[in-house]
Amino acid sequence: MNVRKTIGLIGGMSWESTAVYYREINELVRKRFGGLASADILMHSVDFSQVVAWQKAGQWDRASAYLGKVGRNLQEGGADCVLICTNTMHMIASEVSAHFDIPLIHIVDVTGAALKSAGMKRPLLLATRYTMEQGFYRDRLATAFGISAMVPDAADRQAVHDIIFDELCCGIIDDGSRAAYCRAIEKARDAGCDCVILGCTEIGLLIGPGDTDLPVFDSTRLHAVAAVDFACAEDQGLLREPA
């Protein structure tokens, strides 16, 4: 078996997408090595309701201290890297990673690397309102990769956000919500976007490449690929420390 490193996952935000991480990582390892090969994973799945309460209250310091402790526990348990299995909580990635010494594989960096490799310049970012409206995601894409991301208008941002929390995080997949996302994508295409970032780890449960003729970059899958690359000691260029 050639997988030599243990992948640490901070999951549960929500567990619907964490289940996708687990499946994607193991499917990738099986595809690479065949047979009964699977990934060496340590996972701590947190109570998402508490994290959401801190988000709504703007208590990001409490969230970072909690997730930092979780990351430290993963390191002490034998993990060689950490993934925060959600885009939104990368708002505090630096604060979280300060609690441990192993690398944090940053979801914006692996997504940005994929966009740059594909020659994309003007993606539409679909995500929670925190991710779409705070600067941490778009600023990092611009600074590190020269990519200028756009977001939907205010009404569509709210709709995208509500569908994530009220439906996708609860395991609800609705055709009307899929249509709403597709309308937002069509508006952005008309405004000049050249691709779509699924910048929330649950969005891939609802839409994918078959729902638009624009290239689609699923941050969940890209993050999973980067984790397996790290575990297999391949393509370490995808790994960046959070700024």
Side-chain angles (χ1 to χ4, degrees):
M1 178 57 181
N2 295 322
V3 178
R4 296 189 298 273
K5 296 184 177 69
T6 299
I7 298 166
L9 302 180
I10 303 178
M13 299 173 286
S14 68
W15 69 257
E16 295 282 349
S17 62
T18 302
V20 177
Y21 270 91
Y22 186 79
R23 184 180 67 249
E24 288 280 349
I25 289 170
N26 279 297
E27 285 181 349
L28 286 163
V29 169
R30 183 167 60 189
K31 183 177 180 180
R32 293 189 187 196
F33 300 109
L36 299 178
S38 59
D40 192 344
I41 296 172
L42 284 177
M43 181 194 302
H44 185 135
S45 186
V46 305
D47 178 2
F48 192 35
S49 66
Q50 179 60 77
V51 174
V52 170
W54 288 328
Q55 290 175 347
K56 290 181 176 179
Q59 295 176 328
W60 298 98
D61 56 338
R62 297 187 68 178
S64 64
Y66 176 52
L67 297 185
K69 181 180 178 181
V70 171
R72 183 72 185 183
N73 288 343
L74 288 172
Q75 175 179 321
E76 292 175 353
D80 295 297
C81 67
V82 169
L83 281 73
I84 304 173
C85 299
T86 166
N87 284 269
T88 296
M89 301 313 288
H90 280 75
M91 184 187 304
I92 52 172
S94 295
E95 292 84 352
V96 172
S97 66
H99 290 263
F100 47 84
D101 303 315
I102 55 178
L104 183 143
I105 301 180
H106 200 293
I107 200 167
V108 180
D109 289 337
V110 298
T111 302
L115 290 164
K116 185 173 182 179
S117 177
M120 300 295 136
K121 298 292 186 183
R122 188 67 169 148
L124 171 68
L125 173 61
L126 297 176
T128 66
R129 282 197 304 106
Y130 307 111
T131 302
M132 291 187 287
E133 296 177 1
Q134 300 294 326
F136 76 97
Y137 204 106
R138 287 189 287 165
D139 289 350
R140 194 174 183 96
L141 285 178
T143 300
F145 302 99
I147 293 169
S148 179
M150 61 191 298
V151 296
D153 61 30
D156 283 343
R157 290 199 302 273
Q158 188 64 56
V160 168
H161 177 92
D162 289 345
I163 288 166
I164 290 168
F165 280 96
D166 296 343
E167 298 177 17
L168 301 182
C169 289
C170 299
I172 299 169
I173 306 300
D174 181 79
D175 288 341
S177 297
R178 181 180 295 109
Y181 272 56
C182 289
R183 286 193 296 272
I185 293 170
E186 290 173 5
K187 291 180 188 177
R189 180 180 57 191
D190 292 343
C193 84
D194 58 9
C195 63
V196 180
I197 300 172
L198 306 186
C200 169
T201 53
E202 283 82 22
I203 294 179
L205 298 170
L206 181 65
I207 63 171
D211 296 301
T212 176
D213 56 2
L214 292 172
V216 173
F217 294 81
D218 186 342
S219 62
T220 306
R221 177 167 175 77
L222 293 169
H223 211 193
V225 170
V228 174
D229 286 343
F230 179 87
C232 300
E234 298 172 5
D235 201 355
Q236 295 294 305
L238 288 178
L239 177 65
R240 296 170 184 264
E241 295 295 338

